[in-house]
Amino acid sequence: MSKQITMYDTTLRDGTQGDQVNLSAEDKIRIARKLDEYGIPYIEGGWPGSNPKDERFFELVRKETFRSARITAFGSTRRSNVRPEKDKNLAALLKTEVETVAVFGKSWDLHASQILEVTLDENLAMIEQSVAYLKEEGRKVFYDAEHFFDGYKHNPEYALKTIEAAVNGGADIIVLCDTNGGTMPYAISTILKEAFLHLNVPVGIHAHNDCGLALANSLMAVMAGATMVQGTINGYGERCGNVDLISVMGNLQLKMGYQCTPPERLSQLTELSRFVSEVANVPPLNQRPFVGKSAFAHKGGVHVSAIVKNPAAYEHMDPEQVGNRRRVLVSDLSGKSNIEYKSREMGIRLGGKGFDSQKIVDEIKKLEDKGYQFDAAEGSLELLIKKATGQFEEPFVLESFRVSIEKDRGGETSSHATIKIKVGNDEEITAAEGDGPVNALDNALRKALTKFFPHINEMALVDFKVRVIDGSDATAAKVRVQIESRDAREIWSTIGVSKDIIEASWQALADSVQYKLSKEVDD
Ligand SMILES: [Zn+2]
C-alpha cells in the first residue's frame, strides 16, 4: 500500500491573492464543487474575518453537500492582549460553523517583534491559546506556521518554540510555510528533519514559488516525512504563486509512488486545471506541466517521425494518464510525417484529388510564407486538408458583404454589416449590428446561416487576436487574425491573413463557421 499524502487546496483563499485572479462567492462555490468531484479532501474557502465576499461564501457553502471534501476556514491567531473568546477573528472562524479551521501564527521573531510588535513570549501565548480555544470549541485545527523556514534560519530555537506552542494548544497538524518562497530544496529537507525531532503530530508543507522551487520544495518535504501538501490549482497565488497542486499530484502519484487522489481521478487532472482557469478567467498556460495544451505537443519533424514509431522517444509519460493528449503541430518545420499523423488524428484520408502528404506540405509552406501559421490554427488546417483532398465542400458561398462604422461627436461608435450568401441555389441577405465591425459581420453571417443550419447557434467566439506580421511599413503591413471558437464539445482555432484587417477577420470567421458545419456533416 503506497503512502497517502493529503491534498489541501487553497485556490479559493491564497489563490485569489494572485494578480489577475478574481473569484466571486458563486465562482468559488463552482470551484469547490469541482474540487470535491475530483476528490480533494480539504478545500480552504477563505478568510471570513477579512472580507464580506468570504463571509458570503461561507453562507452559501453551508447549503452545499459535498461527497467527501471538507471546507475549511482560514484566520489568524488572536490579537495581542485579548482573550481568545473576545477575539473577532477567532469568532469569525467559529461563526462559519466549519469543522476544520486553519489558523496561522508567526514563527519568525522578526515578524513578532517588528510587524506584530509583540513580545516573543506574547506571540507564543497567542499561538497556544488560540489553538487551544478552537480545540475547546470542538474544531479540528491545522496550524500554519507562517515564515517557518525563514524564522528557523534566523532563530531556530524560537521558530521551534512557536510550533511547540501550537502542539501544546492541541493542533492536529502543523503546516510549515515557506511564505516568502525563498528557501532552497536542500534546506527544506534539513529543517524539516530537525522540526520532526520536536513534533509528535503530522506535518504539512505550504510552499510559495518565488524561486521557481515551490514544487521541488513540496516534494522534498514529502520525502522528509510531510503528509499534507497545501497548494492551489494552476499555482495561482500571491507574487509568483503557490505550489501548483496539479504538478504536485502528477509527480507524487505518477513518479514517486505516493497516493494523493483516487487513481481513476488522475485522468481528470487536465479537465480540473482548465475548469479552474475558465472560472478564474485566466488564460490557461500552454506550457503547464502535465496538463498544458503543449505539454505533449511535437513540432520538429525528427521528433514527430520518432513518436510515430514510439511515443516514449519524446514523452516522459502517456498523456492520457492525466487526461491530456498528444498533439502534432504543423508548421513550416514540419515534414510529411506530421501531416500523415495529423490527418490520421483528424480522420482524414490523404491522396484525394492527387493531394498526398508531400503536396499538402508544399501548400502549407506556401501559405506560411504569406504569414499563415497553422500550429495555432488547427481548425483552418483541417479545412485546408479536407478541401484539398476533396472531402469537404464549402456549405455556403459569399456573394458580398459590406461593413460600416459610424462615430459622431461625443457618441460611441456603432458598426453595421450586410452580407449576401448563397447556399445551394438559395440566396440570403441579412444585416446586423455589432460591437465593432467584426462582431457585426459575425452576427450578420450567423443570421444568414441560421435558416439553413440552425445548430450554428451552438457555437460562440471566445477569443480574437490580431497581430501585425511584417511591421516594416506600419498600416500597410499584413495582419494575422486568429479566432478561437467553441461549442459544447470542442474548442477550435482558425486563421486569416491580409493587409486588410476586415478581410483577415472574415477569413478566420468563415473558417470557424465552416469548421463547425464540417463537424455536423461528419456526424
Ligand atoms: Zn501562502
Side-chain angles (χ1 to χ4, degrees):
M1 193 49 200
S2 51
K3 195 173 174 193
Q4 183 78 35
I5 306 296
T6 306
M7 295 295 112
Y8 182 103
D9 179 273
T10 179
T11 309
L12 307 183
R13 202 271 306 168
D14 230 358
T16 59
Q17 318 224 134
D19 212 4
Q20 294 185 317
V21 179
N22 222 322
L23 298 173
S24 67
E26 288 74 11
D27 292 337
K28 286 174 149 207
I29 296 284
R30 288 177 66 203
I31 292 177
R33 283 186 198 140
K34 194 71 171 185
L35 291 167
D36 174 50
E37 215 174 276
Y38 187 80
I40 302 280
Y42 289 103
I43 304 170
E44 192 167 79
W47 186 346
S50 72
N51 66 69
K53 196 198 275 177
D54 283 6
E55 264 156 52
R56 182 169 152 68
F57 169 80
F58 283 103
E59 261 167 46
L60 288 175
V61 85
R62 240 174 274 154
K63 296 180 207 129
E64 297 284 318
T65 20
F66 292 106
R67 297 179 203 188
S68 58
R70 262 154 292 193
I71 300 292
T72 72
F74 176 86
S76 69
T77 51
R78 69 160 173 82
R79 285 160 302 146
S80 60
N81 306 312
V82 175
R83 289 209 313 276
E85 54 277 20
K86 295 276 177 210
D87 184 79
K88 275 193 279 181
N89 273 326
L90 295 179
L93 282 177
L94 293 173
K95 201 179 144 216
T96 62
E97 294 173 22
V98 297
E99 61 180 38
T100 306
V101 294
V103 61
F104 79 93
K106 303 291 188 186
S107 286
W108 189 354
D109 55 1
L110 171 144
H111 266 268
S113 47
Q114 292 182 28
I115 312 295
L116 287 184
E117 300 179 12
V118 297
T119 64
L120 296 186
D121 283 342
E122 169 64 0
N123 183 47
L124 296 178
M126 284 158 64
I127 296 169
E128 185 171 337
Q129 290 170 11
S130 303
V131 174
Y133 173 64
L134 292 167
K135 287 302 292 180
E136 275 161 36
E137 292 292 321
R139 301 305 194 269
K140 200 170 186 179
V141 180
F142 295 171
Y143 176 73
D144 280 15
E146 202 192 25
H147 296 110
F148 178 78
F149 296 94
D150 291 319
Y152 189 92
K153 287 177 226 162
H154 290 88
N155 187 345
E157 214 180 300
Y158 185 72
L160 291 170
K161 273 191 190 164
T162 64
I163 53 175
E164 280 165 0
V167 173
N168 293 339
D172 296 277
I173 297 183
I174 302 291
V175 181
L176 305 179
C177 305
D178 187 29
T179 311
N180 290 0
T183 305
M184 296 294 115
Y186 47 83
I188 295 275
S189 289
T190 324
I191 297 174
L192 229 93
K193 279 179 194 144
E194 192 58 39
F196 269 114
L197 301 175
H198 297 259
L199 290 172
N200 53 1
V201 295
V203 167
I205 178 78
H206 177 116
H208 278 263
N209 201 31
D210 299 74
C211 294
L213 292 170
L215 178 61
N217 287 349
S218 303
L219 302 183
M220 288 307 270
V222 168
M223 287 177 77
T227 49
M228 171 183 278
V229 178
Q230 295 195 344
T232 62
I233 301 301
N234 298 333
Y236 299 146
E238 200 132 22
R239 305 184 310 276
C240 308
N242 288 61
V243 74
D244 182 358
L245 279 190
I246 298 284
S247 292
V248 169
M249 292 190 276
N251 283 295
L252 285 180
Q253 195 141 333
L254 291 170
K255 305 283 172 178
M256 296 164 74
Y258 292 94
Q259 177 86 30
C260 25
T261 183
E264 67 277 12
R265 294 282 170 218
L266 217 52
S267 62
Q268 293 158 19
L269 211 52
T270 302
E271 188 200 326
L272 174 66
S273 164
R274 294 186 188 167
F275 177 85
V276 174
S277 344
E278 183 77 9
V279 178
N281 199 17
V282 177
L285 188 66
N286 288 349
Q287 285 77 17
R288 195 179 305 290
F290 298 99
V291 299
K293 197 174 159 202
S294 310
F296 301 94
H298 306 281
K299 189 163 172 179
V302 178
H303 286 212
V304 174
S305 46
I307 60 145
V308 169
K309 291 178 189 151
N310 183 353
Y314 286 99
E315 284 174 4
H316 68 97
M317 57 174 274
D318 180 352
E320 283 176 18
Q321 285 185 285
V322 289
N324 205 345
R325 67 182 189 94
R326 178 174 305 128
R327 287 170 62 228
V328 167
L329 305 177
V330 172
S331 77
D332 51 9
L333 285 183
S334 45
K336 290 194 308 184
S337 44
N338 295 48
I339 291 298
E340 281 157 15
Y341 184 94
K342 203 78 217 173
S343 307
R344 245 197 328 273
E345 192 188 75
M346 293 169 170
I348 310 174
R349 294 173 312 276
L350 292 175
K353 286 171 133 181
F355 266 85
D356 59 5
S357 52
Q358 185 56 54
K359 257 185 132 169
I360 290 170
V361 169
D362 296 343
E363 186 65 24
I364 287 169
K365 287 192 172 164
K366 247 189 268 166
L367 287 166
E368 294 210 335
D369 269 350
K370 291 185 185 157
Y372 288 81
Q373 205 185 356
F374 289 101
D375 52 359
E378 293 186 340
S380 289
L381 176 74
E382 190 172 322
L383 286 177
L384 179 118
I385 304 178
K386 278 185 173 170
K387 282 180 190 166
T389 53
Q391 290 168 79
F392 181 63
E393 291 282 337
E394 298 201 5
F396 62 91
V397 178
L398 172 73
E399 294 285 321
S400 63
F401 68 69
R402 171 181 301 196
V403 178
S404 65
I405 310 167
E406 233 177 272
K407 178 166 174 75
D408 46 38
R409 190 166 51 164
E412 286 193 18
T413 52
S414 59
S415 302
H416 307 266
T418 347
I419 194 167
K420 190 165 158 192
I421 55 159
K422 222 170 158 182
V423 178
N425 291 323
D426 289 333
E427 240 178 32
E428 185 73 16
I429 305 176
T430 52
E433 290 177 311
D435 301 325
V438 177
N439 184 239
L441 190 56
D442 180 33
N443 290 342
L445 175 63
R446 280 159 195 260
K447 219 161 131 187
L449 289 172
T450 308
K451 186 175 149 193
F452 306 98
F453 312 102
H455 49 270
I456 203 86
N457 292 320
E458 293 162 9
M459 65 173 278
L461 300 193
V462 284
D463 201 5
F464 177 86
K465 284 181 218 153
V466 183
R467 177 114 183 238
V468 176
I469 43 183
D470 43 14
S472 48
D473 61 356
T475 52
K478 268 189 199 168
V479 293
R480 176 161 63 222
V481 168
Q482 199 195 313
I483 287 180
E484 209 162 79
S485 316
R486 73 165 168 218
D487 61 14
R489 282 183 313 180
E490 52 172 328
I491 298 179
W492 62 95
S493 314
T494 52
I495 193 170
V497 173
S498 169
K499 283 191 172 169
D500 182 325
I501 186 170
I502 300 291
E503 166 62 23
S505 305
W506 164 257
Q507 291 172 11
L509 209 57
D511 266 15
S512 167
V513 169
Q514 289 191 16
Y515 181 89
K516 169 72 181 166
L517 296 177
S518 79
K519 290 291 151 172
E520 300 303 325
V521 174
D522 288 351
D523 291 347

